[in-house]
């Protein structure tokens, strides 16, 4: 009997393809998908400046240069809110997709449908909860705490009100439309998990012109300014949802199909998915906290009142026009860093899909081969990224209105901040391994080290040293050590995991008949649990 009988081409690729071939097939498109998603930050920021500049100049009576700086910093102030909401989208979006992939490896179709149906309900419920919380933190009627805490109190009240007003107009769309954001992330994630990576790649490419077109219509033609730009993103999310739904409905071999009975919440599904998804959740939520803390600290670094630059032919003090130069370093390079890190995340997520399937199929040696190769690719990528930053940091900063006469000095702040970026490979390799084999504690440690547990203390130490020495560059020296310290913790942890399990790393032969029997027993047990929960 052919052991591959009944397997789709994608399943055969996941189960039998050579490691490099599987990585190319699943990780290659995932990298492009994540890079395209990362491009949204640059696209939205550029559209916010291009499509709203004239209206903001008239509205606030300011110059084009000041309007661009106002928009640039405003979008930076809203990143904490966006990452907070997006982190909750990943909790069940990623958690359920990895459990789905494990059941995919077992060929347990009934369980896959139950997971898919539960994911839809959980995404909608979670989005409503977190958007309500963020609404109260961003709305000016409730003091816009999340925006005001990031601003230096020495700014004039008029400038502060400009930032608060624009930040609310920009963020209210993704707050009110958060269910669309949640589903537009989760549905393509499930399609990627079952191997439809090229279809998802096509969808992501098409969503960019959708975003640009509707942003132009709403922001430029309808004069909705910052809200109009984000409404373009909302239309792109809607496009992704409709596209994904059409693929699921009309594809003959999609395992993402589900019925209304599958949408009945199952404690068994939540219990499995939540601990796995918590790693991805904390990585993004911790990013939101880290962005918040960094933004608060950098505006209070010493020496920024002494910075002058030429504005409209006149020498002006940077802080007198609401510009804190260390904060501007962050906001001018952050869109590019999102793209660079997105590629690393895409590689990690592609590896997670392959390894989670292999774990469900009991192909443990295959997991070892995939992880070693992905670790090498992550190292190569982050080395290339550091070279790019070293060579082109000044051009990146100039694109977002960083004063040209100051770039020569402050480009080195950006370089120092990413001086050990190469070692970020350890974080994303650990995330791929531990999430794919269902190790929630190790997954959470891997994700939180880089985004919270190490970077926050380093930021506080750097802030203290900078104020003690009066030299603000010291802050960036310390934050640049983040990835090195994380790697010193994670590499021994990965090595210990490998050594302890080395003897067990074998690929079990396929036995689809026994696997079907096991799935039947497991589904029956799950039905008993669900029935018990409903009483």
């Amino acid at each position: 009997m052919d052991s591959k009988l009944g397997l789709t081409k994608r399943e055969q690729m996941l189960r039998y393809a050579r490691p490099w071939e599987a990585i190319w097939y699943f990780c290659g498109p995932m990298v492009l998908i994540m890079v395209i998603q990362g491009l949204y930050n640059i696209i939205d920021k550029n559209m916010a400046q291009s499509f709203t500049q004239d209206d903001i100049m008239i509205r606030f009576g300011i110059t084009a240069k000041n309007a661009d700086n106002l928009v640039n910093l405003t979008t930076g102030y809203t990143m904490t809110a966006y990452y907070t909401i997006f982190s909750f989208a990943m909790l069940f979006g990623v958690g359920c997709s990895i459990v789905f992939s494990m059941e995919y490896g077992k060929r347990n179709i009934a369980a896959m449908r139950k997971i898919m149906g539960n994911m839809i309900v959980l995404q909608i419920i979670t989005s409503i909860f977190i958007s309500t919380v963020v609404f109260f933190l961003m709305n000016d009627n409730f003091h816009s705490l999340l925006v005001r805490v990031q601003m230096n109190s020495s700014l004039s009240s008029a400038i502060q009100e400009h930032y608060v007003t624009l930040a609310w107009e920009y963020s209210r769309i993704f707050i009110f439309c958060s269910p669309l954001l949640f589903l537009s992330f989760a549905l393509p994630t499930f399609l990627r998990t079952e191997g439809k990576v090229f279809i998802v790649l096509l969808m992501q490419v098409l969503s960019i012109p959708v975003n640009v077109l509707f942003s132009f219509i709403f922001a430029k033609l309808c004069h909705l300014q910052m809200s109009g730009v984000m409404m373009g993103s909302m239309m792109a999310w809607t496009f992704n949802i409709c596209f994904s739904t059409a693929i699921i409905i009309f594809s003959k071999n999609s395992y993402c199909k589900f019925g209304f009975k599958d949408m009945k919440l199952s404690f068994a599904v939540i219990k499995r998915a939540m601990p796995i998804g918590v790693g991805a959740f904390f990585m993004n939520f911790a990013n939101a906290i880290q962005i918040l803390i960094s933004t608060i600290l950098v505006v209070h670094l010493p020496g920024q009142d002494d910075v002058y630059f030429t504005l409209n032919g006149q020498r002006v003090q940077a802080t007198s026009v609401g510009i804190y130069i260390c904060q501007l370093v962050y906001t001018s390079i952050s869109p590019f860093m999102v793209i660079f890190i997105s590629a690393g995340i895409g590689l990690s997520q592609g590896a997670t899909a392959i390894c989670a399937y292999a774990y469900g199929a009991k192909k443990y040696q295959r997991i070892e081969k995939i992880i070693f190769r992905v670790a090498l690719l992550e190292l190569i990528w982050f080395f290339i990224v550091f070279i790019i930053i070293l060579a082109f940091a000044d051009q990146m900063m100039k694109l977002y209105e960083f004063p040209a006469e100051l770039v020569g000095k402050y480009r080195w702040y950006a370089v120092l901040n990413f001086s050990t970026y190469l070692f970020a490979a350890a974080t994303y390799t650990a995330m791929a391994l531990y999430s794919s084999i269902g190790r929630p504690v190790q997954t959470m440690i891997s994700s939180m080290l880089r985004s919270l547990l190490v970077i926050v203390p380093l930021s506080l130490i750097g802030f203290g040293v900078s104020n003690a020495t009066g030299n603000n560059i010291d802050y960036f020296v310390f934050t640049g050590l983040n990835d090195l310290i994380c790697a010193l913790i994670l590499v021994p942890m990965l090595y210990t995991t490998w050594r302890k399990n080395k003897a067990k790393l074998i690929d079990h032969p396929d036995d689809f008949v026994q696997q079907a029997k096991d799935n039947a027993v497991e589904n029956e047990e799950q039905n008993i649990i669900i029935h018990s929960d409903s009483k």
Side-chain angles (χ1 to χ4, degrees):
M1 178 180 176
D2 185 359
S3 62
K4 301 182 183 181
L5 188 64
L7 295 177
T8 65
K9 180 181 177 181
R10 293 185 302 277
E11 288 180 272
Q12 292 186 37
M13 185 70 71
L14 281 165
R15 192 178 287 253
Y16 302 118
R18 291 189 298 272
W20 282 117
E21 187 179 356
I23 290 171
W24 166 252
Y25 186 86
F26 288 98
C27 295
M30 275 299 303
V31 169
L32 294 176
I33 289 167
M34 293 306 298
V35 167
I36 290 170
Q37 289 184 347
L39 278 172
Y40 271 83
N41 289 277
I42 289 183
I43 292 171
D44 284 348
K45 203 160 191 171
N46 285 338
M47 289 190 300
Q49 290 181 333
S50 300
F51 297 163
T52 68
Q53 184 189 81
D54 294 339
D55 288 332
I56 289 176
M57 287 170 57
I58 296 170
R59 180 179 179 183
F60 296 119
I62 56 179
T63 63
K65 185 80 171 179
N66 286 341
D68 286 341
N69 285 326
L70 183 61
V71 170
N72 185 24
L73 292 175
T74 296
T75 53
Y77 288 141
T78 62
M79 282 298 99
T80 299
Y82 179 81
Y83 275 116
T84 298
I85 290 177
F86 191 67
S87 64
F88 279 86
M90 300 192 80
L91 178 60
F92 289 110
V94 171
C96 287
S97 72
I98 293 174
V99 177
F100 180 93
S101 193
M102 291 176 179
E103 296 302 324
Y104 193 17
K106 298 177 184 178
R107 311 201 72 228
N108 192 344
I109 297 174
M112 292 160 71
R113 287 175 174 168
K114 172 62 68 176
I115 294 164
M116 184 70 184
N118 271 238
M119 180 276 294
I120 298 293
V121 177
L122 288 169
Q123 289 291 85
I124 293 173
I125 292 173
T126 309
S127 68
I128 294 172
F129 163 75
I130 189 58
S131 61
T132 302
V133 174
V134 175
F135 170 84
F136 287 109
L137 293 174
M138 292 294 291
N139 190 282
D140 194 27
N141 293 325
F142 300 96
H143 308 296
S144 299
L145 294 176
L146 207 54
V147 177
R148 293 185 185 277
V149 74
Q150 299 179 71
M151 293 188 292
N152 192 305
S153 58
S154 64
L155 286 174
S156 69
S157 58
I159 293 177
Q160 289 190 37
E161 289 306 314
H162 291 171
Y163 284 130
V164 167
T165 300
L166 292 181
W168 169 244
E169 291 177 0
Y170 189 67
S171 63
R172 63 186 176 186
I173 302 301
F174 66 72
I175 292 174
F176 293 146
C177 299
S178 61
L180 295 178
L181 171 61
F182 275 57
L183 292 177
S184 72
F185 167 76
L187 290 175
T189 299
F190 270 71
L191 288 175
R192 296 195 313 250
T193 299
E194 70 164 349
K196 291 183 170 63
V197 285
F198 291 99
I199 292 176
V200 175
L201 177 59
L202 174 63
M203 178 187 69
Q204 294 290 349
V205 170
L206 293 176
S207 70
I208 291 179
V210 171
N211 187 3
V212 174
L213 173 63
F214 282 99
S215 292
F216 177 77
I217 291 172
F218 290 126
K220 189 73 173 178
L221 301 184
C222 298
H223 301 285
L224 295 178
Q225 299 180 30
M226 299 293 281
S227 292
V229 173
M230 189 50 64
M231 287 175 74
S233 295
M234 180 195 69
M235 296 304 295
W237 301 337
T238 305
F239 170 80
N240 288 345
I241 293 171
C242 294
F243 194 106
S244 300
T245 303
I247 295 300
I248 292 170
I249 292 173
F250 296 109
S251 178
K252 294 180 180 179
N253 59 359
S254 176
Y255 295 129
C256 291
K257 292 182 173 68
F258 64 94
F260 285 109
K261 61 183 178 62
D262 297 316
M263 298 178 72
K264 184 176 182 180
L265 287 180
S266 164
F267 176 73
V269 172
I270 297 172
K271 186 179 179 181
R272 290 184 67 191
M274 193 169 183
I276 295 175
V278 78
F281 162 76
F282 271 116
M283 174 165 279
N284 282 270
F285 186 61
N287 271 337
I289 296 173
Q290 188 258 321
I291 289 170
L292 178 64
I293 292 173
S294 297
T295 306
I296 293 171
L297 294 179
V298 294
V299 296
H300 292 94
L301 289 174
Q304 297 184 85
D305 288 330
D306 301 327
V307 177
Y308 289 80
F309 69 99
T310 303
L311 179 64
N312 299 324
Q314 296 181 335
R315 294 287 291 175
V316 297
Q317 184 185 35
T319 54
S320 69
V321 290
I323 294 176
Y324 288 81
I325 202 68
C326 291
Q327 183 186 36
L328 197 58
V329 171
Y330 267 114
T331 57
S332 60
I333 63 172
S334 59
F336 298 99
M337 302 324 301
V338 171
I339 292 178
F340 294 146
I341 210 70
S342 293
I345 293 172
L347 187 56
S348 177
Q349 288 186 354
T352 300
I354 301 170
C355 293
Y357 182 95
Y359 187 74
K362 298 183 179 180
K363 306 290 184 182
Y364 303 128
Q365 189 179 52
R366 185 170 178 79
I367 296 175
E368 178 190 30
K369 293 177 179 178
I370 295 294
I371 289 298
F372 272 105
R373 286 163 174 77
V374 167
L376 176 62
L377 291 175
E378 293 277 14
L379 276 170
I380 293 171
W381 170 245
F382 283 110
F383 175 74
I384 292 172
V385 167
F386 177 70
I387 297 301
I388 292 173
I389 295 169
L390 187 63
F392 301 108
D394 47 354
Q395 284 89 342
M396 296 177 190
M397 296 165 73
K398 287 178 183 178
L399 282 175
Y400 289 102
E401 305 304 325
F402 199 95
E405 62 202 275
L406 301 176
V407 164
K409 175 183 178 181
Y410 288 98
R411 73 182 307 276
W412 296 108
Y413 285 49
V415 171
L416 284 171
N417 193 62
F418 299 100
S419 57
T420 65
Y421 215 45
L422 168 70
F423 299 100
T427 295
Y428 294 103
T429 301
M431 284 286 293
L433 173 63
Y434 292 125
S435 60
S436 65
I437 62 175
R439 299 282 185 89
V441 175
Q442 290 91 332
T443 302
M444 188 164 62
I445 291 172
S446 302
S447 66
M448 291 188 67
L449 277 173
R450 184 176 192 270
S451 51
L452 186 66
L453 297 179
V454 174
I455 186 61
V456 170
L458 284 175
S459 298
L460 294 174
I461 293 170
F463 181 75
V465 171
S466 289
N467 279 281
T469 62
N471 193 349
N472 52 35
I473 198 173
D474 292 339
Y475 176 85
F476 295 88
V477 172
F478 277 91
T479 55
L481 297 173
N482 183 32
D483 288 312
L484 174 61
I485 295 174
C486 291
L488 291 174
I489 299 170
L490 289 173
V491 170
M493 192 167 85
L494 286 165
Y495 179 74
T496 301
T497 301
W498 177 72
R499 281 293 301 270
K500 286 175 65 176
N501 296 280
K502 188 177 180 181
K504 305 174 186 177
L505 298 177
I506 60 173
D507 289 345
H508 291 262
D510 294 326
D511 188 347
F512 297 130
V513 175
Q514 183 60 45
Q515 198 173 59
K517 292 178 180 178
D518 293 340
N519 290 342
V521 172
E522 185 177 330
N523 286 329
E524 181 61 30
E525 290 174 350
Q526 191 179 85
N527 287 334
I528 293 172
I529 294 171
I530 295 168
H531 181 68
S532 176
D533 289 344
S534 65
K535 285 186 176 179

